[in-house]
Amino acid sequence: MPDTPKDLLRFATAGSVDDGKSTLVGRLLYDTKSVLADQIEAVQRASVDKGLSTPDLSLLVDGLRAEREQGITIDVAYRYFGTPKREFVLADTPGHVQYTRNTVTGASTAELAVLLVDARYGVVEQTRRHAAVIALLRVPQLVLAVNKIDLVGYDEAVFTAIAKDFNGLTTALGYPADRVVTIPVSALVGDNVVEASANTPWYSGPTLLEHLESVPVVSPDLDAPLRIPVQYVIRPRTAEHPDYRGYAGQVAAGVVRPGQEVLVLPEGLRSTVTAVETADGQLTEAGAGRSVTVLLADDLDVARGSVIVDAAQPPRVTDQLETTVCWLSEQPLRPGARLLLKHGTRVTQAIIGTLHDRLDTDTLTLSVPERLEINDIGRVSIRTADPLPVDDYAVSRATGAFLLIDPATGNTLAAGLVGSPLVPLPNS
């Protein structure tokens, strides 16, 4: 079996402002006893200072002072917790439209997304926007948490109507029905978060925690062909190892083993893996997420930015990319823009070509834009100065993703995916 961590689920939360994401996460942490006593005491003191009669569990997540003062989430908050059945890495993302880029960050490594809606308002525009982003990033599993169900009197009809509306959206976005679960919850009271609620006798499904503990962990990068972006070439030049040459990097996709035939791209060099090493010794194999040093049978000219790949299933090497980008900057994107493109460990110059279309996340229709504004998702042609070994994002997240960077400031302008939109739109 591949060398993988103990059963671990990475998931992200998303939703509109005031839907209760941070409170839900706080409830999860509190009810699973994943917070220390001094943290609870600090939350209780802060809640009293705010004039609240009960602890504000959202304070367990909102770590920035500005977040606590405003009662909103403005940055991705990562939390780590576990139960006897599974360990979790959770990314709580902001709800405001201007922070959609943070949602991209939080969902980009997630294997499941929990999307919240307020039971009083149902599916709104920001719900659709987040669902589209989650679908584009190919997050395998999706949960709709219909929060604040207590504020609608635990009305089954309200829950059923929201679930039907959301299922129509996820079907349009290409989600299989068995990958979408809808759960009625109250983060404030605790209904169906960790413990089943007697207030919803009409609901027979799992609680949120039960689902998180039991859902199959689908990691596309484990099943993808081998991809290792080289970060560093190790040449110790010691008397004991005068000819040692190792290529250090994180296994971004697939599994690497001694004896495996590999290619080094974009150079096009072929060799065989002779050893897979870590600081703790040699491994018989290493899977996605493991940082390793790979030794090859041949003395090759390999440098940072090269990618070691499975010789039987190599990516294509090209300087012409058809991509989907989520534009993250207040400065609009226009054809002809000269930017930097970061792919794996390589940074190269790039020129923006045609803006083919823009996705309207409310209607799920396409239009041809003159430019892309902040939070827009569109299909864009890009030409790079150097050829890059790329896969479609649908094949491999590792070699199918990139960033666009402002060459003057170094700021990230866009998150990009290689390939056409992954959303099967109604009019496509």
Side-chain angles (χ1 to χ4, degrees), residues 314-343:
R316 64 185 183 278
V317 178
T318 180
D319 60 0
Q320 304 288 334
L321 305 179
E322 295 300 324
T323 73
T324 304
V325 302
C326 181
W327 189 249
L328 311 176
S329 172
E330 294 180 359
Q331 168 192 346
L333 176 67
R334 292 182 172 86
R338 294 177 177 269
L339 308 172
L340 295 178
L341 186 148
K342 185 178 188 301
H343 177 260

Side-chain angles (χ1 to χ4, degrees), residues 238-272:
T238 63
E240 185 179 357
H241 302 287
D243 299 320
Y244 185 98
R245 187 191 299 264
Y247 307 106
Q250 187 177 78
V251 182
V255 179
V256 60
R257 303 178 178 89
Q260 188 172 3
E261 294 291 327
V262 295
L263 287 175
V264 179
L265 299 176
E267 294 82 0
L269 306 173
R270 183 179 292 267
S271 189
T272 303

Side-chain angles (χ1 to χ4, degrees), residues 19-29 55-59 61-62 92 116 147 186-189 193:
D19 277 353
K21 298 179 302 301
S22 296
T23 302
L24 179 68
V25 174
R27 172 64 63 184
L28 266 176
L29 297 175
D56 182 357
L57 297 180
S58 70
L59 299 179
V61 181
D62 291 333
D92 181 39
L116 274 75
N147 193 25
S186 171
L188 185 64
V189 179
V193 179

